[in-house]
Amino acid sequence: VQLMLLSPSQMAESDDIALLLADRERNARARRKWWLELCHEAHVAGKWEALCGTPVEALAKRSRLVDFVIGELRISDPDELAEFDETIQALFANAAPLLLIPDIWQGELRAARAVIAWNGSGEAAHAVKAAWPLLKQANAVHVLDGERAGIRGITPAPPPLREWLERHNIQAQWTPFPIEHEVG
């Protein structure tokens, strides 16, 4: 699903909000045919929607029943980085997992190689599960294993990543990644 979103900051820049909204909506609807043809060529069931509203809220609400969202990360024009904050907020807005592709990317969107930074946390498990559609098509999967040992009988065992990958027929190389202190 492609969403056309207009942020309040964009609305404040316009003298005539109604005209701006109508123009944005017309432009978004004009791209519907292009998007559906792209989906058809890729053998993907797709849908096109043009929504107005707060980008973070709209994206979170509309994405909750999708596998993951592919978004564009604008890095080619440093002046456009003001929109980056809304993209980052969407990561934490109870939305579907978000895969950000730099706007300067010209290649085919395919996960040929994947790296999993594993620490055994629930967040890491959620990220791996969300990445499953990409992991299953990767030619190589590498796990940087930074999982810390817990206290036996007190700390719950971490999710069994190795078993999960094997159960999903994903072959992975494992490399210990010792953590000396808390890392971000």
Side-chain angles (χ1 to χ4, degrees):
V1 174
Q2 169 75 31
L3 300 174
M4 186 262 328
L5 301 168
L6 186 63
S7 69
S9 63
Q10 290 171 312
M11 289 190 288
E13 294 172 2
S14 173
D15 293 334
D16 194 345
I17 295 171
L19 284 175
L20 179 62
L21 289 173
D23 185 52
R24 290 277 176 121
E25 185 174 354
R26 187 173 45 258
N27 289 337
R29 292 191 190 285
R31 293 192 304 268
R32 181 179 185 275
K33 183 179 177 185
W34 162 81
W35 175 254
L36 294 177
E37 286 174 1
L38 210 66
C39 291
H40 178 73
E41 290 170 10
H43 306 291
V44 173
K47 181 180 174 186
W48 181 271
E49 288 184 281
L51 303 173
C52 290
T54 306
V56 174
E57 184 180 328
L59 179 60
K61 192 169 193 176
R62 298 304 286 172
S63 72
R64 288 187 180 129
L65 288 177
V66 300
D67 295 325
F68 63 91
V69 174
I70 299 174
E72 181 178 80
L73 180 61
R74 296 174 193 229
I75 62 171
S76 60
D77 184 357
D79 295 335
E80 290 190 39
L81 289 180
E83 299 301 318
F84 188 74
D85 290 338
E86 291 166 344
T87 304
I88 293 299
Q89 290 174 29
L91 289 170
F92 302 101
N94 198 20
L98 183 60
L99 174 64
L100 298 175
I101 306 296
D103 62 347
I104 59 174
W105 176 254
Q106 296 295 318
E108 178 183 340
L109 181 58
R110 185 178 183 297
R113 294 180 306 273
V115 175
I116 299 171
W118 180 250
N119 66 3
S121 69
E123 293 84 359
H126 181 71
V128 169
K129 188 176 174 187
W132 179 74
L134 299 172
L135 294 173
K136 72 179 182 177
Q137 67 171 285
N139 297 331
V141 176
H142 197 103
V143 177
L144 298 177
D145 189 358
E147 186 177 305
R148 294 183 182 184
I151 302 170
R152 187 176 173 91
I154 297 175
T155 308
L161 178 62
R162 191 180 301 265
E163 292 172 23
W164 186 88
L165 291 171
E166 289 172 1
R167 196 169 51 248
H168 287 85
N169 296 318
I170 298 171
Q171 302 300 317
Q173 294 178 317
W174 290 74
T175 300
F177 192 76
I179 299 175
E180 297 172 12
H181 56 316
E182 192 62 34
V183 294

